[in-house]
Amino acid sequence: METSDFLSSTSSTSSLDDLSDSDDDFELPVKITKRKIQAEASSLPPKKPRHNDALRKLSRLSCSPNVSSAETSQGHQSFQDTPRPDKRELDSDDPTINAKNIYDAVSSGKSDLMTVVDEWLDYYKQRHKQGLLVLINFIVQCCGCQGVVSREMLDSMQNAEIIATLTRQFDRSLASYPLSGAGSSPKRFRAGLCKFASVLVRLCQNSLIYDEYLFASLLSLLTGLSDSQVRAFRHTSTLIAMKLMSGIVEVVVAVSFQMQTIQRYYNLEMGKDMEDQSSQRLEELQASITELLRKKEELSSLLNATFRGIFVHRYRDRVVKIRAACMEELGVWIKKNPDNFLNDGCLKYLGWMLNDKQSVVRLQCVRSLQNLYTEKKFIGHLELFTNRFKKRMLNMVMDKQYEIAVEVIKLLLQIQQNTGEVLQEEECAHIYTLVYAAQHSLASAAGLFLYLKLKSVIDSENEQGINSAFFQELINFYVQCKFHDHGIYLVDSLWDVAAAELKDWECMTTLLLQENDLTNVEEDTLIELMVCAIRRAMEATPPVGRIWVKKGLSAKQMKTREQDRQRITTHFIPLLSQLLAKYSADPGKVKLLLQVPLYFNLDTSSSAQWMEKHLDQILTQICLIVEKHTENAVLEACSKLIDTLCSNSHTFSSRAHLAFSQLFDNLTEHFYTYYSDLMQAPTDDVFSGAMALKRMAALVSARNLSTERLFDSCTDLLKSRMESRHFDKELMVAALRCSGFHLMWAKVNLPSLPTKEEVKRLKEEVAFFCQICQECLSIAQTEIRDQAFELLCDLLLLYRANTVRSEPGLQKVYYVPSHFLTAEMAVFLLDYIFMDEMEEEADEEAIKHLQKKRRLLAGYCKLVIFGVVDLSAATNVYKYYDKNYKDFGDIIKDTITKTKLINPVLSARSLCLTVQQVFTEMLVEGVNKRNVDEIKDLAKKLAMTFGNNLQHVRKPLVALHMDGIRFAFRGCQEEEEQHSNVAFLELLSEFSFKLLQQDKDLLMDILKSQCPTAALSWDSVNVYQRSLKGTQAKLGERVEAITSPTMPVTKRQKINTGDKKIIKRQKIDTGGLMANFNSTLDCSSIHSSELPSPILTSTALKQPPTKFGSRGGVYESDVGSGLTEPESDDEFNLESQRPEMLSTKRLRSTPIQRGLNTQLNLLLLNDDFSEQEEEAESVK
């Protein structure tokens, strides 16, 4: 027989019948009809099968287009259709071989499954039927079914009837089955079950896999179970079938390898001369080839039947784990047996499931494709698949699951490396921009892609060297991407793969010091990248804002960091002065270069004699830069560097301090040259004096260089400008900074036993400066106003009374702000922090403006936390907790938390006072001028700041309710129909759900004693009573609410609460309190239904109270959870799948013009605050 004849015969039987190589196979069948379940009982007795009859029947049932899937799984294939063992088989059972023992061995994860399977095989070889019955019951037990298949059922029933019986015996009340769940036990059981199936095939590969009974019967049962409506049956049987098929694929590969080896021997024998040929040898080889062909045909029949009977239907199952298991095993089949599976008919399933709605399935598809693209011999067969699904893979780099996006980038990198120019440059640019992503793993994957792309275009024979060419390409990329403010993120993305190149300081400085090699933009970029690389090497952590798994530095990483620090110090100290001299005229470059010495190891460098000269040169350059530049960024960088160099921990600090003192003296002399002109306002020649004072302020902020004369001059200058109303921004800001820093240094350097004159003078200076700053708060110049407020917060915090209690000599060195000053600061917050109408600004400017406002608000909140201002002053901040949560919510929430730690009762009462002030403003301005729902939302959000430890918050909550009750009935007369403040009880009811029952009873008695007799029937009182009783409002009940936009202050008015409106209110209140706040604000202390449902307002339907721990597990239903085909490839993009961020709409009300009078009117509510403290303490 010729070689070609054997090969053609082999190829004709080795491929799957249902798989084609046409491009039409990539079209996803959108319309899917539900398979009907048909069960037909065979009326004829079973016939004795012929050779391979069981395999052929199983294959025909799976391959026939006229047979439904139900028929394939349940209809005509029974255990009786397969060959039966001889009558000599024994019916007795071996007690050591049973389904329970095998199940325990598999689920424990500690048993040797090779021994377990081997013992079962010995038992099966002696008792075929009984052994098969043990294996079937083992599979049933793996499904979590309590039913058992008996010998009578096996002999008299077909598969469909057996499965129907097991379905009826299945306990559907169970919430799980062995393979379900996400804990360690299901994972261990899954691993054991998969290993059991693999070992079973491996031990049977030379004998029982061809016995025409065991695997045919087993796969027939699994095919029927995989089509069951019971999820446990479907999931378990599919997983076992997929693993069995993977094992059979390995057997097919082994048989094919044996056949190829024997075929070579046969060809060698046939190639000999006729007299040298051995006819016996040829007959033996021919018989071996024929036998292997027969085995391969039988195995192909099993594969074909399993693929068409199980995989084709289950790859789109409604259960996610089933779909993922199918995709995982399909990747294994294609890689191990490419002759049969590496074709478009199989690859199309991986392409289709890239659009799956579940991330687990998409991730498994990507990983399966990664295993395929690593094999270069597969690339030719993957060409059509790559062109068809390339667009989808490019879109998946923006997947909402970062893990999938990372794996897709790795996949595209393999495609780019192995397929040449399949990805165009504009398609690669889609990946490049991800180096600026917030997720560290995603950015690192994109950095690897970019790095390899840059390296591919670098000429290794470049005269400047490989690293020089790398930096040139990196600079070009950075400039073209136009992300000029994110250099640190680019460096961090490349750090894992290009750390060696980015640490090449010699190459960077060489490029910078060369003449006319780089353009101005390229020099800016290279300096920025160099400084970012130094910072990344020293910090050894990703930059702020990049999400990564936080972990401490290892000993090796710390050693590497110290080595890099020493290299940076040794290399840059001789060259930094040259770089500063070359780029001294460019503020942007100088600002970056001044950051380099911050990472020097100055202790080591100062001990080296040869480096002292270079350090002196650096000091000289810094002094020249201060004298030359007036930009805030440059002066701030100089200030940080001066503070570092003058640190007393370095031996070099004395020389640095001397140099900067001389510089300050020169600037002071220059300032006093123009001082007389500056005092004569108005004058046009103020620039030189103002710039000198600005430079002096930068130096004073770093070191104590100020004098009493300078402070007096600055304050006189400020006073003169305030009186003349001629405000120069640069001059007044510099004067404020010099004066403020002088007072700060004076407090820090004050001796432990100061004289009375020193204390008196210092207190007078602080009071005088605070008065100047208070007047500056009303100036229209934003820079002056913000600087004055910032200095006020710092000075009041530094000179607070409780900072000097430990030093007896300093007990009188403190300053208490006046009520007028605190009122002015509160008005500043109202006008310029919370109610500031921001103009149309660029994104960068808007971010800077918001950062400045957050810094100013944080300064005021520190005054509240440290007791500088009264706790009631915090209401000026708390009232905007809801409206401005997006911008300042974290700061306000942290302030509330800190104040509760200091004084829980007073903190709770301040929250009540906040709601009272907002409520009073609404009544004064008119109900139609404020959305009452916002007040309710504020009350709900403030109530959520109390923890879920109800015992811990008892006293604060009781004090809060007592204040609220007194406020509601303040000035209420017996004959009055309803007082305007009584409606406040509806807002107070938002805090009732945190109360314990005994406290509710106490407050109920207090309510009855406080309110008039006629008031007990008022609707607002009834709402509050129901919140204390925990009862539910009746549907359609007409109650009074404060939500009417036209309600007079003293008139009663009913609101139409039809069924529809009540239901709508229920949705708003209940969902808004528990769901919307948790998802949008993420600040609630209650994350589950451990507490009863909160009592809501009068217009809402209240839920029945639930018991603690009443949440029960619900078994996930299969109904309505089927997989739907995606409508487009973009369905799972990050842009379409990422949940939209819920923005908090800022209240754009009319700016308050009443100024200080308005604030004083609001503060009138604080009169009783101190008087009520003793009453609140009585509750303790």
Side-chain angles (χ1 to χ4, degrees), residues 566-693:
Q566 188 60 38
R567 286 185 58 236
I568 292 171
T569 304
T570 306
H571 176 73
F572 279 98
I573 282 184
L575 299 178
L576 184 60
S577 59
Q578 301 178 32
L579 293 172
L580 291 174
K582 181 178 180 179
Y583 300 108
S584 61
D586 193 324
K589 297 183 179 67
V590 169
K591 179 190 67 173
L592 294 172
L593 290 174
L594 288 174
Q595 299 178 21
V596 176
L598 298 177
Y599 304 102
F600 285 172
N601 188 356
L602 294 176
D603 294 334
T604 302
S605 63
S606 60
S607 62
Q609 293 284 336
W610 65 276
M611 286 189 176
E612 292 184 359
K613 180 181 68 173
H614 301 297
L615 289 173
D616 289 337
Q617 294 175 355
I618 293 176
L619 291 176
T620 303
Q621 290 297 327
I622 294 174
C623 294
L624 293 175
I625 289 172
V626 172
E627 294 177 349
K628 183 181 296 185
H629 291 278
T630 59
E631 293 80 6
N632 291 329
V634 176
L635 294 178
E636 183 179 355
C638 292
S639 174
K640 292 181 180 179
L641 183 54
I642 291 171
D643 182 52
T644 301
L645 296 178
C646 295
S647 176
N648 295 328
S649 60
H650 308 311
T651 58
F652 183 76
S653 61
S654 59
R655 301 168 63 181
H657 192 278
L658 178 60
F660 296 130
S661 297
Q662 294 176 354
L663 174 62
F664 185 80
D665 293 339
N666 295 333
L667 293 174
T668 303
E669 183 180 355
H670 185 69
F671 167 71
Y672 280 110
T673 303
Y674 298 94
Y675 181 72
S676 59
D677 296 333
L678 296 176
M679 292 295 293
Q680 297 175 3
T683 179
D684 297 332
D685 190 15
V686 298
F687 179 77
S688 298
M691 292 303 102
L693 189 60

Side-chain angles (χ1 to χ4, degrees), residues 1012-1068:
T1013 306
L1016 294 176
S1017 61
W1018 295 347
D1019 294 323
S1020 296
V1021 178
N1022 292 333
V1023 171
Y1024 184 64
Q1025 285 180 328
R1026 283 195 295 269
S1027 70
L1028 296 179
K1029 293 179 180 179
T1031 57
Q1032 185 178 10
K1034 297 181 180 180
L1035 182 65
E1037 182 180 5
R1038 297 173 62 86
V1039 296
E1040 180 181 2
I1042 63 173
T1043 57
S1044 175
T1046 59
M1047 182 189 70
V1049 175
T1050 58
K1051 297 290 185 179
R1052 298 185 64 185
Q1053 193 173 25
K1054 301 294 182 68
I1055 294 180
N1056 183 10
T1057 56
D1059 294 348
K1060 294 183 179 179
K1061 291 186 178 181
I1062 290 180
I1063 294 175
K1064 183 177 180 181
R1065 288 289 302 174
Q1066 180 192 15
K1067 180 178 180 181
I1068 292 175

Side-chain angles (χ1 to χ4, degrees), residues 878-949:
Y878 294 165
K879 64 177 65 175
Y880 299 100
Y881 184 39
D882 180 46
K883 292 184 294 185
N884 297 85
Y885 185 86
K886 179 181 178 181
D887 296 335
F888 313 111
D890 55 337
I891 300 176
I892 301 176
K893 180 182 178 182
D894 193 58
T895 304
I896 297 175
T897 304
K898 293 289 195 304
T899 55
K900 286 181 179 179
L901 296 176
I902 298 172
N903 194 323
V905 174
L906 288 182
S907 177
R909 296 178 66 189
S910 66
L911 298 182
C912 181
L913 181 61
T914 300
V915 183
Q916 292 175 19
Q917 289 185 359
V918 178
F919 177 78
T920 304
E921 289 180 29
M922 180 197 67
L923 296 181
V924 172
E925 297 176 1
V927 181
N928 58 342
K929 294 184 179 180
R930 183 180 294 272
N931 190 348
V932 183
D933 288 338
E934 293 183 357
I935 307 179
K936 291 185 178 181
D937 292 340
L938 174 62
K940 293 175 184 177
K941 196 167 296 183
L942 292 177
M944 299 301 291
T945 59
F946 292 93
N948 53 6
N949 188 347

Side-chain angles (χ1 to χ4, degrees), residues 104 451 530 794 857:
D104 293 339
Y451 173 76
M530 180 182 69
D794 293 339
L857 177 61

Side-chain angles (χ1 to χ4, degrees), residues 741 748 1155:
F741 286 124
V748 173

Side-chain angles (χ1 to χ4, degrees), residues 302-328:
L302 288 175
L303 291 178
N304 192 55
T306 307
F307 188 89
R308 297 180 64 87
I310 299 180
F311 176 85
V312 171
H313 301 298
R314 298 278 70 79
Y315 85 94
R316 53 187 177 184
D317 194 278
R318 66 191 64 173
V319 180
V320 178
K321 293 182 179 180
I322 296 179
R323 302 200 301 271
C326 291
M327 293 300 104
E328 179 182 3

Side-chain angles (χ1 to χ4, degrees), residues 632-774:
N632 291 329
V634 176
L635 294 178
E636 183 179 355
C638 292
S639 174
K640 292 181 180 179
L641 183 54
I642 291 171
D643 182 52
T644 301
L645 296 178
C646 295
S647 176
N648 295 328
S649 60
H650 308 311
T651 58
F652 183 76
S653 61
S654 59
R655 301 168 63 181
H657 192 278
L658 178 60
F660 296 130
S661 297
Q662 294 176 354
L663 174 62
F664 185 80
D665 293 339
N666 295 333
L667 293 174
T668 303
E669 183 180 355
H670 185 69
F671 167 71
Y672 280 110
T673 303
Y674 298 94
Y675 181 72
S676 59
D677 296 333
L678 296 176
M679 292 295 293
Q680 297 175 3
T683 179
D684 297 332
D685 190 15
V686 298
F687 179 77
S688 298
M691 292 303 102
L693 189 60
K694 185 176 182 179
R695 297 185 182 101
M696 293 165 60
L699 294 176
V700 172
S701 65
R703 305 304 299 173
N704 183 20
L705 301 173
S706 180
T707 60
E708 289 293 336
R709 180 189 175 193
L710 178 61
F711 174 78
D712 295 336
S713 301
C714 291
T715 53
D716 292 342
L717 181 60
L718 290 170
K719 183 178 179 181
S720 174
R721 289 286 173 168
M722 294 297 295
E723 292 175 354
S724 62
R725 310 303 294 177
H726 291 284
F727 308 119
D728 183 84
K729 179 183 67 176
E730 298 288 348
L731 179 62
M732 294 192 65
V733 169
L736 285 170
R737 286 171 56 84
C738 283
S739 304
F741 286 124
H742 169 81
L743 295 176
M744 295 178 192
W745 284 114
K747 175 64 183 298
V748 173
N749 298 324
L750 194 67
S752 58
L753 294 175
T755 62
K756 295 182 178 180
E757 291 76 12
E758 291 177 341
V759 173
K760 181 180 179 181
R761 186 185 69 252
L762 186 57
K763 294 182 68 174
E764 290 176 353
E765 290 177 351
V766 172
F768 181 63
F769 181 73
C770 290
Q771 183 180 358
I772 294 177
C773 291
Q774 179 180 347

